[in-house]
Amino acid sequence: MLIPTSYLFLIFLSLINVAENQVPLPSYMLATSPEPPFVEIPGIKSSYFALIARDTLYLLATRLQFSLTITHPPDFLFGGYNNGKWDGIIGQLLRKEADLGASLNAITYARYTAIDFSVPVIYDVTGILIPFPDESSKIMAALQPFSIEVWMAFFSATFLICLTLSVEGKINSSKKTFGDHIMWVISIITSQGVLTSLLAVPNYVPIINTLDELATSSIIKPVTIRSTAVDDMMLNAKNGTYKLIGDTFRKYPNETLVANTLVGVNRAVEGGYGFLEPRTSLLSLMENDRKEHKVCRVTLAKETFYPRAFAYLLPKKSPFKDAFDRQILLFQQFGFIIHFQRKIVLQSNRCLLQKKKVRSRAPRFTLDHVSSSFVILFVGYAASFSSFVFENIRNTFDYDW
């Protein structure tokens, strides 16, 4: 009989003595979290982040031999400093209504002044959830690769080539017409890979691709969960892109600072919002939405930003801090955290534009890009014309003799 890998890890860890000279710990902890799977919220499914937090926390409870009860903050927030006081999980810890924050929270300086963190459990970046773009129309696809200047140079060169072929045909008594030469040249051009790929491959153009585009866009606003590290960072920024995002939060607080991930995803689906959340969390939200609706309604913008560490929240001078740190470091060392991430986080997501191998923006060539090609074309045309004139002069002299 094969023993599951998780059991082997537990057996191995149980043989390691990490509790030497450790003060006996309480046998009971009251933990708090505002998100599933720790608490049930209608319409909201567990994110990958929350599942990693749950598995790690239950393993900590097993290793340190304490029982665990889960409650939730009255306001269902993670914890921010608003109106002179801390709300969410942090407010509960400060009021001694809980012993531990069960969710993984971003480590920030402001939070550190109020409570303690365990050592980091995982690291992540912030992503932007945006509406899934419609496929662009194919009607004008053939005109997209080149700028107006390139098309003008192309038609001028085509006319000269066809005119030359027509004159040469008259001299040599060819039955081909001017129109035949035009069709031959155009058939060569339109069979090239750039035009073929534009017509054959779906082309999705996201509404935005970067945080800078989101901050300056007139058609899409940023949105995030209130009392998180993201809104704290943006609202306290003094300049740059973060300040522009923060200004939007201050101008439209009811639209852009939402209560939970369900509202954030629905905002993105509406088409006028980009939802800012840890990328791992957004991957799960995107996949859950696809499974529920059987179609991709949201996707991720190409750029990520604001990398940060996530850890458990503990009150200042908590007796569990040192024990938690030791155990989490052991979990990291022996691959437990990586095991949880690989088990929970999907390796692919059907709604990612990168996975679909589509363009974020249609390539557009200007005259500068193809100027050398036209130089070669006109040099060849001049050489051909010179050869044509020379041959006719030689034929004339031969005829006279």
Side-chain angles (χ1 to χ4, degrees), residues 61-73:
T62 301
R63 288 284 296 140
L64 298 176
Q65 298 180 347
F66 61 82
S67 60
L68 193 63
T69 300
I70 306 292
T71 183
H72 62 80

Side-chain angles (χ1 to χ4, degrees), residues 357-369:
K357 297 182 180 179
V358 297
R359 305 180 186 87
S360 59
R361 298 202 180 276
R364 189 172 182 83
F365 297 98
T366 65
L367 195 57
D368 289 337
H369 293 111

